[in-house]
Amino acid sequence: MKTISVVAPMYNEESLVHAYCEQMLMIADSLKDKYEFEIILVNDGSRDSTYTKMLEEHEAHPDNIAIVCLTRNFGLEGAVSAGLRSATGDAVIVMDADLQDPPSLLPEMIQKWEAGADVVTGSRIRRSNDGFFKKAGAGFYYKVLGSLSGKVKLEKSAANFRLLSRKACDMILALPEVNSVFRVEVPFIGMKTDVVEYDRDKRYAGKTKYNLKSMIPYALDSITGISVEPLRRIWLLQIIPLLLFIGSVAGLIISDELRSAWLVLLFASILTGVLLIAVCVVAEYIGQIMIEVKGRPTSLIYEYKPCKNTKTGSKGN
Ligand code: UDP
Ligand code: MG
């Protein structure tokens, strides 16, 4: 029988460990004639009782619930990567634990995988439950990312809700980078991809870990992870001070009015701003080079508790 691994990263999610497991076990039960389920709960350094709750679920459902406990909070990407490294299934599904990625879609994703897709992507056609700033921020992020991705085809509004065949999962794990952003790595590997569309539900319980401020470093990691286009296009910024420069020179030649002096001042300050932006873009890439050169792991596993459906040979690291 084929095994499906489901990876769910959790950080301070005590209020939804049980609800998540309950829903996933229902899905596992409805498909039990065809598939075995390995549901991997990744504890990403939670400070509340998430881990205790995970242990309770593991003890109550030793066939299906496996646990990966990280040494500290590494962030969503580190948690996803630890889950992928521990997964032993023929297909691996990554999903948020807050039930915003509906478990009811799993049978359709599995069906598309069985029909030949190596990657099945969850695409959020509506985000009716997200606030204005989150929606606007996400819209801008996907637009920028899409315009920089070159030959890598990004699916619209696709985040971490994905199914990967064993082959696709192994390819992702073999990518050497430290700055691993799952949502840009999956389209990078290519392979036959299918899509399931869904309306993003409200969070079942607890609070989001991402506000607009914490999304900025994440967005920068994705951009530097997918493209060097910002470095190539940065020269375009000089167009604004150049126009102002021409304006000020023309102004000074035509008249010696005070207005022209203001234009010169404006030119100087905009030029400084543009230079600073250019330095920041370069610095961002230098920072990424440093991270890659150090070569530290994206996350460290403190404890790994497989379930009975875990295939033997799992490294759990
Ligand atoms: N998460 C995590 N580590 C973190 C932050 C978040 O494992 O440092 C998990 C979180 O528990 C959830 C998923 O990542 O299962 C998505 O987080 P969240 O729901 O807060 O993001 P949003 O859906 O609001 O973008
Ligand atoms: Mg969420």
Side-chain angles (χ1 to χ4, degrees):
M1 200 185 281
K2 289 180 184 169
T3 304
I4 310 285
S5 302
V6 185
V7 171
M10 298 192 190
Y11 175 53
N12 293 346
E13 303 286 16
E14 60 184 2
S15 51
L16 52 79
V17 177
H18 179 68
Y20 172 78
C21 291
E22 203 173 31
Q23 291 225 17
M24 286 310 304
L25 289 165
M26 264 164 56
I27 300 286
D29 193 53
S30 69
L31 297 171
K32 68 170 185 273
D33 294 337
K34 283 179 154 174
Y35 305 104
E36 282 176 337
F37 271 77
E38 175 194 41
I39 301 163
I40 303 171
L41 311 177
V42 184
N43 176 30
D44 184 18
S46 300
R47 289 160 198 267
D48 62 4
S49 64
T50 299
Y51 188 54
T52 317
K53 297 240 154 65
M54 284 181 174
L55 289 171
E56 283 166 18
E57 295 296 329
H58 175 68
E59 261 160 46
H61 309 282
D63 286 350
N64 297 105
I65 307 277
I67 303 178
V68 170
C69 183
L70 305 185
T71 54
R72 63 169 170 86
N73 176 250
F74 282 88
L76 176 58
E77 296 302 327
V80 167
S81 147
L84 290 180
R85 290 187 328 254
S86 310
T88 63
D90 300 287
V92 183
I93 296 171
V94 175
M95 64 193 296
D96 288 356
D98 55 8
L99 301 172
Q100 288 198 283
D101 300 334
S104 57
L105 277 185
L106 264 53
E108 193 185 337
M109 292 176 108
I110 294 168
Q111 210 181 341
K112 296 201 164 181
W113 162 61
E114 289 284 21
D118 277 291
V119 175
V120 184
T121 296
S123 177
R124 300 172 286 193
I125 43 169
R126 270 186 303 276
R127 313 165 62 107
S128 29
N129 292 304
D130 284 346
F132 171 77
F133 285 109
K134 188 136 191 175
K135 260 195 246 176
F140 182 65
Y141 166 76
Y142 283 107
K143 239 196 166 77
V144 172
L145 213 57
S147 73
L148 298 174
S149 64
K151 288 188 178 173
V152 178
K153 196 176 161 289
L154 299 182
E155 295 86 13
K156 207 170 144 254
S157 282
N160 283 356
F161 189 27
R162 321 255 180 164
L163 177 148
L164 304 175
S165 66
R166 173 47 47 198
K167 207 175 203 172
C169 182
D170 288 344
M171 276 189 194
I172 298 268
L173 291 175
L175 293 177
E177 65 248 25
V178 176
N179 172 23
S180 61
V181 180
F182 186 62
R183 69 186 69 190
V184 300
E185 284 182 335
V186 178
F188 170 79
I189 62 165
M191 307 191 82
K192 194 169 173 219
T193 301
D194 210 336
V195 174
V196 288
E197 294 184 333
Y198 68 105
D199 186 3
R200 194 160 151 85
D201 283 338
K202 240 203 211 120
R203 214 172 206 282
Y204 177 83
K207 282 194 197 133
T208 175
K209 313 293 176 296
Y210 292 98
N211 52 29
L212 204 58
K213 196 173 146 210
S214 58
M215 278 161 71
I216 292 172
Y218 193 77
L220 290 175
D221 282 349
S222 325
I223 291 169
T224 51
I226 202 165
S227 164
V228 290
E229 276 304 310
L231 289 175
R232 289 187 185 142
R233 294 186 196 175
I234 205 164
W235 66 272
L236 285 168
L237 282 178
Q238 69 173 324
I239 290 173
I240 314 162
L242 186 69
L243 289 178
L244 272 173
F245 176 73
I246 295 168
S248 357
V249 171
L252 283 171
I253 292 169
I254 297 164
S255 79
D256 58 351
E257 272 181 46
L258 203 57
R259 239 182 305 153
S260 309
W262 280 114
L263 220 53
V264 176
L265 260 181
L266 196 64
F267 159 70
S269 48
I270 289 189
L271 182 65
T272 315
V274 163
L275 284 174
L276 277 176
I277 293 172
V279 170
C280 285
V281 173
V282 175
E284 188 61 38
Y285 279 90
I286 293 176
Q288 291 297 344
I289 295 170
M290 199 187 94
I291 290 168
E292 297 300 329
V293 168
K294 274 203 214 162
R296 289 187 173 166
T298 44
S299 53
L300 292 166
I301 296 175
Y302 180 71
E303 196 166 25
Y304 169 59
K305 290 179 180 289
C307 62
K308 294 212 174 105
N309 285 344
T310 298
K311 289 185 183 166
T312 46
S314 165
K315 300 172 291 310
N317 58 30

